[in-house]
Amino acid sequence: MKEIYFAGGCFWGVEHFFKGVDGVAEAAPGYANGSLDSPSYEQVYTDATGHAETVRVRYNPDRVSLQTLVRLFFTIIDPLSLNRQGHDEGTRYRTGIYYTGEEDLPVLKECFEELSGKLGCAPVTELLPLKSFWPAEERHQDYLGKNPGGYCHIPLKTFRYLRLYQDLALLLGDEPDPIARMANAAALIHSRMHFLWTGFYLVRDDELVLGPFQGPEACFRIAYGKGVCGTAWAQRRTIVVPDVEQFPGHIACSSDSRSEIVVPLWRRAEDSHAPSGLRMTDGESPVGVTEGECPVGVLDIDSAEKGTFDSTDATWLELIAAVI
Ligand code: SME
């Protein structure tokens, strides 16, 4: 068993999140890296003791890697927000990763570099050795388990995406055929999240061609740079469209579609000579994007309601696209 400490704002939500991660044996809220021994919640609440609300995560490294835990942690924080997460403000709500063994540092640094690359700047999240950790009072332990519907600063859909992400990795396993992987991925995402349309368009020469999907029939081909899909391909980035009527050039395959998200699919760098090997196992880089590389397709999702998708969906669907 190994351990790592995550400060990600109010510890109720962070604890609840990590309790749902496969391979995590224990997630316990407490107060880290402050100046006072055995502080009370009220003392930490003054912000004068220097503690951060932190969750101790004990995990089985044979079942979940430190890299995966950190990538999952990055989905539940705003790494550019200093001393504030959600509605909670104060140095006790700063974000940080605190380690107990120097051997974890190379992986942690790599994860931070990956995050900086995505953000285009350095996160404000701390990366420090753990100096002290005091478990929180009994009433804070498993707070959201004991009080379902209680305050949680993490968007609720995060918990559904976590389940989906983990189940998808299990379902796809090491099936080597990318079409088969996409077919089952579309089925699982669609049935779990109840979207209007979930599917793939694949790059074929200079256009996108319809791949495996779930939902109403759709257009066969989309030109480079056209529609939301062709734009995501050309711009090599995820595009969130809160209202399809406001997106110039949107292609309406279904008149029921009101909002949409399109996520590029990347061939893993080490698979560049084996296109059928799009896959990720735990502990590997999920993105594997070679600089200058073009997407091999897109994951396209439509909703029958406006404003369904935001940065939470973008973050999770990018992780999911990497698994696929
Ligand atoms: N709306 C997409 C076309 C594909 S359908 O949504 C399935 C677009 O504008 O690219």
Side-chain angles (χ1 to χ4, degrees), residues 8-30:
C10 176
F11 52 23
W12 292 344
V14 178
E15 178 205 19
H16 195 60
F17 177 80
F18 279 105
K19 278 199 152 83
V21 174
D22 296 339
V24 167
E26 182 209 277

Side-chain angles (χ1 to χ4, degrees), residues 197 201 210 216-219 222 226-230 244 247 249-254 257 260 262 300-302:
W197 196 90
Y201 279 91
L210 184 62
E217 62 276 21
C219 45
I222 299 172
K226 298 293 178 194
V228 187
C229 294
V244 295
F247 188 92
H250 167 258
I251 301 164
C253 288
S254 162
S257 176
E260 183 165 0
V262 179
D300 177 18
I301 298 178
D302 287 68

Side-chain angles (χ1 to χ4, degrees), residues 283-305:
E284 289 180 341
S285 162
V287 179
V289 178
T290 306
E291 218 172 307
E293 201 182 356
C294 272
V296 292
V298 297
L299 166 61
D300 177 18
I301 298 178
D302 287 68
S303 164
E305 276 133 46

Side-chain angles (χ1 to χ4, degrees), residues 50-310:
H51 294 90
E53 288 202 7
T54 298
V55 172
R56 178 181 66 207
V57 170
R58 292 197 164 132
Y59 63 99
N60 179 347
D62 295 332
R63 293 194 55 210
V64 63
S65 66
L66 179 61
Q67 188 184 45
T68 295
L69 289 174
V70 173
R71 283 182 179 143
L72 290 174
F73 172 65
F74 287 155
T75 70
I76 59 165
I77 60 164
D78 178 348
L80 296 177
S81 178
L82 186 63
N83 301 330
R84 184 188 174 102
Q85 292 294 305
H87 295 299
D88 304 310
E89 206 172 350
T91 57
R92 63 196 181 281
Y93 297 122
R94 67 187 181 270
T95 56
I97 300 181
Y98 311 122
Y99 53 90
T100 53
E102 287 291 317
E103 71 278 5
D104 285 342
L105 207 46
V107 171
L108 294 171
K109 280 187 174 160
E110 208 177 284
C111 292
F112 269 71
E113 273 162 31
E114 187 182 277
L115 179 66
S116 300
K118 264 192 211 159
L119 297 171
C121 62
V124 299
T125 306
E126 296 179 329
L127 176 57
L128 294 169
L130 183 80
K131 284 191 295 196
S132 62
F133 178 80
W134 302 96
E137 295 85 341
E138 171 60 30
R139 67 181 189 280
H140 293 294
Q141 309 280 340
D142 197 26
Y143 180 84
L144 286 169
K146 291 186 284 203
N147 302 279
Y151 172 75
C152 181
H153 74 286
I154 300 170
L156 286 184
K157 62 182 160 187
T158 296
F159 298 92
R160 289 166 63 207
Y161 270 122
L162 172 63
R163 202 64 265 153
L164 171 64
Y165 168 79
Q166 297 185 134
D167 290 349
L168 191 66
L170 276 180
L171 173 69
L172 300 187
D174 53 11
E175 165 56 48
D177 187 283
I179 299 294
R181 294 176 74 82
M182 284 185 251
N184 259 342
L188 190 70
I189 297 168
H190 200 67
S191 64
R192 286 288 178 83
M193 306 303 279
H194 308 293
F195 296 130
L196 173 69
W197 196 90
T198 307
F200 298 89
Y201 279 91
L202 303 172
V203 173
R204 296 280 180 265
D205 303 320
D206 58 350
E207 58 186 357
L208 291 167
V209 177
L210 184 62
F213 73 94
Q214 298 275 313
E217 62 276 21
C219 45
F220 280 116
R221 287 163 195 273
I222 299 172
Y224 183 79
K226 298 293 178 194
V228 187
C229 294
T231 305
W233 172 23
Q235 295 185 1
R236 302 171 188 206
R237 64 180 180 93
T238 297
I239 297 187
V240 174
V241 182
D243 178 355
V244 295
E245 283 170 27
Q246 303 302 315
F247 188 92
H250 167 258
I251 301 164
C253 288
S254 162
S255 56
D256 290 334
S257 176
R258 295 282 174 274
S259 58
E260 183 165 0
I261 184 167
V262 179
V263 181
L265 287 179
W266 302 94
R267 194 200 328 267
R268 292 180 49 74
E270 62 267 37
D271 292 335
S272 54
H273 300 295
S276 62
L278 290 168
R279 63 171 190 251
M280 181 187 100
T281 56
D282 191 41
E284 289 180 341
S285 162
V287 179
V289 178
T290 306
E291 218 172 307
E293 201 182 356
C294 272
V296 292
V298 297
L299 166 61
D300 177 18
I301 298 178
D302 287 68
S303 164
E305 276 133 46
K306 279 188 191 171
T308 296
F309 308 105
D310 57 20

